[in-house]
Amino acid sequence: METKQFLPLPHSPAYHILLKAGPRLKPLQQVHAHIIVLGFGHSRSLLTKLLNLACAAGSITYTRQIFLSVTKPDAFLFNSLIKSTSKFHNFSIYSIYFYGCMLLSKILPSNYTFTSVVKSCADLSSLKLGKVIHGHVFLNGFGLDVHVQSALVAFYAKSGDLGNARKVFDKMPERSVVAWNSMISGYEQNGFGKEATLLFEKMREVGVKPDSTTFVSLLSACAQLGALCLGCWVHKYIIEHSLDLNVVLGTSLINMYTRCGDVRKAREVFDSINEKNVFSWTAMISGYGTNGYGREAVELFDEMRRKGPSPNRITFVAVLTACAHAGLVKEGRLVFAIMREKYLLVPGVEHYVCLVDMLGRAGLLDDAYNFINEEIPKEPAAAIWTAMLGACKMHKNFDLGVKVAEHLVAVEPDNPGHYVMLSNIYALAGRMDRVEIVRNIMIRKRLKKQVGYSTIEVDRRTYLFSMGDKSHPETNEIYRYLDELMSQCRELGYATVSESVMHELEEEEKEFALRYHSEKLAVAFGLLKMSNDEVPIRIVKNLRMCEDCHWAIKYISIVANREIVVRDKLRFHHFKDGLCSCQDYW
């Protein structure tokens, strides 16, 4: 019996039977029984292989049952089991469990152990537990192990603790492309696109060769920042180095181009992807919609239904949003019906928001309000009331707007944006007594409106402006040039839309507050610095563009004879020759 147990594993008949069974539960259980009959029931090498396959088969109960039958499991078995369970997100907690069993068995963990355990902490989003494991790493002398450090960088970045992620990253004696990718991805996924691009530049300086994973994160950062120049450089690099334009990388390129306002290039990439999945189709449909090409979005959706994969819930959000922003009410109603009746998808909050938004923008306020009260099964979410309120404001139905705004504040009483909207709608309805009450509530609750800012990329460097910003070294020149622009705009007929600012200000104060909004400063800076008239000025704003800026930039596009593209919180605005792609419908 003993000789059988210690047969070299690759030559063992039982080993080959295990391989044939593969990660399938019933065949594995049959092979397990056969192994016991053959007398190999206590062979650690065979049990280790069996444990790995049982885990891959998706049965943690059977895996644990086999583990408990092993007398005195060794380090190899523990490490194999911890690694196997860490590979599957649903089993991450068991990776920690087996690590605990390993410690109780007084078996010392290795760098392989910690790499897997730290990954499991990341999958569990358990920052507290991960920090405890980080302490164990130091106590066991693996603080400078490259693989463990890479895992720690990925863990902290995924957990949103970018400070600790960067500390570990900076202390690494050697940084693999995996470590660089983890840090870049961490910045991008946590909204620090600028830091992601700067770290990529540093990665290039030290001579680390980027891979497809690097570019997926970098393109997402470019999309976040509106950094078209850097995004184009990435695309060129991919072509010149013959990197595989797989569906993930291709979809990232589509997303980057559409979010930077270059829909034509996005479509070129879309057409060049050989095997498109639902995400690439959805990215292109969404790109059309947010850039004001509603009909093209609907046409591509119809094509997807004919010869592409089945649309998912996100696809329907994309096409409904496109319909809402293009005034395609008939098409939007049909899409909503198709979603429910043909694809049997139950509408979520996001789909209801799109339909209410579509009806409201089209001026069908009664239809939208009745839909909220009659068709939505649960208490309407804040986003639904927000869409309805926007429509009331757009069509100047302030009485209904007051009612909707009050619903909104009741649903989310601690959102400062809702109080700002309620205050504005009260003011527009002439109920200034209520404006004062709302402002006092905000003061008492210590609620502050989100600060707006705009960014612009010039020579692959991103500049940020806020309202009345004077931090730029060329502030005087920017302000002087903007004043000249606005003077020329007024000669053409531009007049301040004073409803865009607080109603208690005097008219002169309103005009001053509006003149130096962040997007106007960014546009002026772009026109000063970008002399090539054929290159559009591209601005990214974190909030919704105000009505006055929208009106003013239409005039600036005439005065400067320049195309200006502004991406705000909701959509793109392509200004050219005094017109906007949204047709003043946003």
Side-chain angles (χ1 to χ4, degrees), residues 105-358:
S105 299
K106 297 184 179 179
I107 295 174
L108 292 175
S110 67
N111 57 340
Y112 298 107
T113 315
F114 286 122
T115 301
S116 299
V117 173
V118 170
K119 179 187 178 300
S120 294
C121 291
D123 291 339
L124 291 167
S125 300
S126 179
L127 184 60
K128 187 176 180 180
L129 179 59
K131 286 183 175 181
V132 171
I133 301 298
H134 193 173
H136 289 195
V137 167
F138 277 110
L139 288 172
N140 286 272
F142 295 105
L144 294 177
D145 182 272
V146 174
H147 300 291
V148 177
Q149 285 180 320
S150 290
L152 284 166
V153 171
F155 157 69
Y156 280 120
K158 192 172 181 180
S159 302
D161 189 346
L162 298 176
N164 273 320
R166 190 60 190 259
K167 281 180 184 177
V168 176
F169 179 82
D170 288 340
K171 289 178 181 177
M172 293 181 71
E174 296 176 41
R175 301 186 190 103
S176 66
V177 68
V178 175
W180 286 95
N181 288 347
S182 296
M183 198 66 240
I184 291 170
S185 173
Y187 277 133
E188 179 272 316
Q189 289 179 6
N190 286 278
F192 295 94
K194 182 64 177 175
E195 286 74 8
T197 59
L198 289 173
L199 190 61
F200 172 72
E201 295 294 350
K202 190 173 181 180
M203 178 184 182
R204 289 182 63 212
E205 286 173 12
V206 298
V208 177
K209 189 177 180 180
D211 60 13
S212 294
T213 304
T214 316
F215 289 133
V216 168
S217 296
L218 184 62
L219 287 168
S220 295
C222 291
Q224 191 182 115
L225 296 169
L228 181 61
C229 291
L230 180 56
C232 288
W233 179 89
V234 172
H235 192 183
K236 186 179 178 183
Y237 183 99
I238 290 167
I239 295 168
E240 289 178 349
H241 290 77
S242 302
L243 293 182
D244 177 30
L245 191 63
N246 57 41
V247 70
V248 176
L249 192 54
T251 302
S252 297
L253 274 169
I254 292 168
N255 186 50
M256 183 277 295
Y257 277 123
T258 57
R259 291 192 66 191
C260 290
D262 195 335
V263 182
R264 182 184 60 81
K265 288 292 290 182
R267 185 58 194 254
E268 286 178 11
V269 174
F270 176 79
D271 290 337
S272 71
I273 300 174
N274 293 323
E275 294 185 16
K276 305 175 184 72
N277 64 10
V278 66
F279 301 107
S280 48
W281 282 90
T282 301
M284 194 64 241
I285 290 168
S286 177
Y288 273 135
T290 54
N291 280 277
Y293 300 98
R295 292 209 174 274
E296 288 82 351
V298 173
E299 287 169 7
L300 189 61
F301 172 71
D302 290 338
E303 185 182 338
M304 179 184 184
R305 290 184 58 216
R306 289 194 308 272
K307 59 184 184 183
S310 293
N312 63 15
R313 300 176 67 83
I314 302 171
T315 313
F316 280 103
V317 171
V319 72
L320 286 169
T321 300
C323 291
H325 286 283
L328 303 176
V329 176
K330 181 181 176 183
E331 292 84 348
R333 288 184 191 269
L334 180 60
V335 168
F336 193 78
I338 287 170
M339 179 183 71
R340 291 197 292 189
E341 295 165 14
K342 181 172 177 58
Y343 294 96
L344 305 178
L345 294 173
V346 177
V349 170
E350 62 276 18
H351 302 102
Y352 289 128
V353 169
C354 290
L355 203 70
V356 170
D357 191 35
M358 180 185 71

Side-chain angles (χ1 to χ4, degrees), residues 362-433:
L364 303 172
L365 297 181
D366 290 339
D367 285 6
Y369 193 68
N370 291 337
F371 178 82
I372 291 172
N373 291 312
E374 296 170 11
E375 297 291 330
I376 298 176
K378 298 179 182 178
E379 177 66 30
I384 295 171
W385 290 119
T386 300
M388 186 70 217
L389 181 58
C392 292
K393 190 175 177 183
M394 178 188 294
H395 296 287
K396 302 190 185 306
N397 188 333
F398 303 131
D399 290 336
L400 180 57
V402 166
K403 190 189 300 186
V404 170
E406 288 172 347
H407 275 298
L408 186 57
V409 170
V411 173
E412 283 188 353
D414 294 321
N415 187 322
H418 299 342
Y419 288 94
V420 172
M421 286 195 284
L422 179 59
S423 172
N424 286 340
I425 206 79
Y426 275 141
L428 291 167
R431 298 172 63 176
M432 301 307 294
D433 57 323

Side-chain angles (χ1 to χ4, degrees), residues 527-543:
L527 290 170
L528 275 171
K529 293 296 176 183
M530 299 168 69
S531 56
N532 187 348
D533 292 344
E534 295 181 3
V535 177
I537 304 296
R538 300 179 186 276
I539 311 294
V540 176
K541 180 164 184 177
N542 68 322
L543 302 177

